[in-house]
């Protein structure tokens, strides 16, 4: 069975400090990977997607970057946090092909508070 | 841009009552997915339903693509159904895997 693990579960960081959030997918070879962001009390917005190792596409610019250093790993980071980065970050995956290829499955998320 | 409108914004039910959540979208959708978000934040996929009707337990998803609407019916609600329900739409030409989420319907079921 596929499992998706996000870390850390929660972070409290100072404005201007760096950030690194991680996501690993087990049990699925070469999945499509995504980062989504949810403002507190708000809806979800896609940030990045990746279809293969080393290749990441940006969807929305939020002064964040993403990388896929391994097939099963997706990293979200920034060198300088802003207050507006606070929220809930969700990693997701989908199959590359097949009848359920367009269904997204989400991890448990990381809650980020920037002070 | 693509719009996804959900209604109602919030709903309070007595346990055992039924609920009908609506989702309307602005352009021709290639896919519709319903999610349930636990109060703690975890997002669970309920249905992937680009068209037609699907059932799982007490939940029924109906999508009428040419009318640009979908609905989620919850029958015999339980307190554990409390949380936020999101409708998410995929459009042709959007970035890979990009789902446009509605604002959600917050459901509270009281005993």
């Amino acid at each position: 069975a596929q499992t998706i693990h996000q870390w850390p579960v929660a972070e409290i960081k100072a404005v201007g400090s760096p950030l690194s959030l991680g996501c690993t997918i087990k049990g699925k070879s070469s999945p499509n990977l995504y980062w989504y962001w949810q403002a507190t009390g708000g809806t979800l917005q896609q940030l990045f997607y990746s279809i293969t190792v080393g290749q990441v596409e940006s969807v929305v610019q939020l002064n964040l970057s993403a990388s896929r250093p391994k097939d099963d790993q997706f990293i979200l980071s920034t060198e300088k946090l802003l207050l507006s980065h606070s929220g809930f970050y969700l990693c997701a995956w989908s199959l590359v092909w097949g009848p359920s290829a367009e269904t997204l499955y989400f991890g448990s998320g990381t809650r980020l508070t920037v002070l | 841009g693509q719009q996804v409108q959900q209604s109602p914004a919030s709903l309070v039910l007595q346990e055992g009552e039924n609920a009908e959540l609506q989702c309307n979208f602005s352009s021709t959708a290639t896919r519709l997915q319903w999610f349930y978000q636990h109060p703690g934040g975890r997002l669970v996929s309920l249905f992937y339903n680009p068209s037609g009707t699907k059932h799982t337990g007490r939940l029924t998803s109906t999508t009428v693509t040419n009318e640009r609407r979908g609905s989620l019916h919850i029958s015999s609600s339980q307190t554990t159904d409390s949380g936020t329900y999101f409708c998410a739409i995929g459009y042709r030409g959007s970035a890979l895997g990009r789902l446009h989420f509605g604002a959600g319907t917050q459901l509270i079921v009281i005993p």
Side-chain angles (χ1 to χ4, degrees), chain B residues 47-82:
Chain B
F47 291 100
Y48 168 72
N49 187 15
S51 66
T53 298
K54 292 188 175 182
H55 304 275
T56 299
R58 296 180 292 107
L59 303 179
T60 301
S61 165
T62 300
T63 304
V64 186
T65 310
N66 60 357
E67 295 182 9
R68 301 178 183 174
R69 62 180 176 87
S71 65
L72 179 68
H73 183 84
I74 305 172
S75 62
S76 304
S77 62
Q78 301 175 358
T79 56
T80 51
D81 294 333
S82 297

Side-chain angles (χ1 to χ4, degrees), chain A residues 102, chain B residues 2 27-31 65 89-95 98 100:
Chain A
E102 295 179 328
Chain B
Q2 292 89 351
S27 302
T28 302
T30 57
R31 58 192 190 276
T65 310
I89 305 294
Y91 295 101
R92 193 178 307 279
S94 289
R98 186 174 191 181
H100 297 258

Side-chain angles (χ1 to χ4, degrees), chain A residues 35 48-58 65-68 74-75:
Chain A
W35 279 110
F48 299 94
Y49 68 89
S50 170
I51 60 174
T52 191
V53 174
Q55 188 174 338
V56 177
E57 301 296 331
S58 172
S65 60
S67 64
R68 187 169 177 176
F74 208 18
I75 307 295

Side-chain angles (χ1 to χ4, degrees), chain A residues 36 38 43 46 51 102 104 108, chain B residues 37 48 96-99 102:
Chain A
Y36 274 76
Q38 183 181 29
T43 191
Q46 190 186 34
I51 60 174
E102 295 179 328
L104 289 190
S108 54
Chain B
Q37 188 168 40
Y48 168 72
L96 178 69
R98 186 174 191 181
L99 292 178

Side-chain angles (χ1 to χ4, degrees), chain A residues 14-110:
Chain A
V15 169
S17 63
L19 174 77
S20 182
L21 305 180
C23 170
T24 56
I25 317 295
K26 296 301 180 186
K28 181 54 62 180
S29 178
S30 301
N32 296 324
L33 298 177
Y34 314 90
W35 279 110
Y36 274 76
W37 172 73
Q38 183 181 29
T40 302
T43 191
L44 287 90
Q45 190 171 35
Q46 190 186 34
L47 301 177
F48 299 94
Y49 68 89
S50 170
I51 60 174
T52 191
V53 174
Q55 188 174 338
V56 177
E57 301 296 331
S58 172
V59 178
V60 173
Q61 288 294 333
L62 281 182
N63 294 305
L64 296 167
S65 60
S67 64
R68 187 169 177 176
K70 300 179 185 177
D71 185 54
D72 63 353
Q73 195 173 75
F74 208 18
I75 307 295
L76 184 70
S77 62
T78 183
E79 293 188 1
K80 272 190 174 183
L81 278 167
L82 307 172
L83 285 174
S84 58
H85 286 138
S86 291
F88 195 50
Y89 290 84
L90 288 148
C91 179
W93 66 274
S94 68
L95 296 173
V96 176
W97 58 75
S100 301
E102 295 179 328
T103 305
L104 289 190
Y105 300 95
F106 284 86
S108 54
T110 295

